[in-house]
Amino acid sequence: MNLPNKLTMMRVLLIPVFVIALLVPIGISWQKWIALAIFIVASLTDLADGKIARKYNLVTNFGKFMDPLADKLLVCAALVCLVSLERIPAWVVIIIISREFIVSGLRLIAVDQGVVIAASMWGKVKTVFQMTMIILMLADIAQLALITVIVMWIALVLTIVSLADYIIKNIHLINDAI
């Protein structure tokens, strides 16, 4: 197991720690800051594992599979927690999670046809805004409420745009599968 794969697995293992830190009342006034720090560390492992894997030619099939899965698990766990805390509307989370399932399904169709669908620029920008939105919502700072809502709307629009981009660029794969 190389370093990028260890970072990916660390991200997966941090998810339940993050959820517990955020949702289980432990009587510490700065509990949300612990959860926020865990989320940021987990998010940074996503940035680091990909860069290290590409730079040192450590790309593995395990990493190709687990890295995006770990990202989706982290984001979905955070979003579900935020719904539970009433910091984000459930319908926004449903759209975001639905996009992830659709793109994952499209990737499965592509793999079946011997095609690898790389992450698009829209998908990467979407991820940055989703992570920023989650960080702002976890911090829950009243003075940043308007910025948080604006970032949420940008993340939502980018989620839809990136989905449309994946579908338009790969519609031939869907047609071939039908």
Side-chain angles (χ1 to χ4, degrees):
M1 174 140 326
N2 62 34
L3 180 58
N5 290 341
K6 287 178 183 176
L7 289 171
T8 297
M9 290 310 299
M10 185 176 103
R11 185 162 64 257
V12 171
L13 294 173
L14 282 174
I15 294 168
V17 176
F18 161 74
V19 171
I20 290 167
L22 185 61
L23 297 182
V24 176
I26 54 177
I28 299 174
S29 61
W30 37 275
Q31 181 174 353
K32 75 175 181 181
W33 300 111
I34 295 170
L36 177 61
I38 293 167
F39 182 82
I40 290 170
V41 167
S43 297
L44 290 174
T45 66
D46 177 35
L47 185 65
D49 65 9
K51 286 186 184 260
I52 293 167
R54 286 184 296 278
K55 182 175 182 178
Y56 296 104
N57 197 26
L58 297 172
V59 176
T60 64
N61 286 334
F62 177 84
K64 287 179 190 176
F65 173 75
M66 278 306 296
D67 181 60
L69 181 60
D71 299 343
K72 287 173 185 19
L73 289 171
L74 177 63
V75 168
C76 289
L79 291 172
V80 170
C81 289
L82 289 167
V83 168
S84 174
L85 295 170
E86 298 181 355
R87 294 187 192 159
I88 189 170
W91 66 268
V92 172
V93 173
I94 290 167
I95 290 171
I96 292 170
I97 292 174
S98 296
R99 181 257 183 220
E100 298 306 329
F101 275 106
I102 293 166
V103 170
S104 293
L106 182 57
R107 283 197 166 113
L108 287 174
I109 291 169
V111 165
D112 191 49
Q113 297 177 27
V115 176
V116 175
I117 300 176
S120 73
M121 181 269 304
W122 287 111
K124 291 177 182 180
V125 173
K126 176 252 341 162
T127 299
V128 169
F129 273 90
Q130 284 181 358
M131 295 290 193
T132 303
M133 172 190 74
I134 291 167
I135 289 168
L136 288 167
M137 289 180 174
L138 289 171
D140 194 28
I141 299 170
Q143 295 83 351
L144 298 177
L146 179 60
I147 292 170
T148 303
V149 170
I150 291 168
V151 170
M152 180 194 77
W153 280 102
I154 293 170
L156 185 61
V157 167
L158 288 170
T159 296
I160 295 166
V161 168
S162 69
L163 173 60
D165 181 58
Y166 276 106
I167 291 173
I168 290 166
K169 287 181 179 172
N170 297 289
I171 193 73
H172 64 282
L173 297 173
I174 297 168
N175 288 334
D176 291 347
I178 295 175

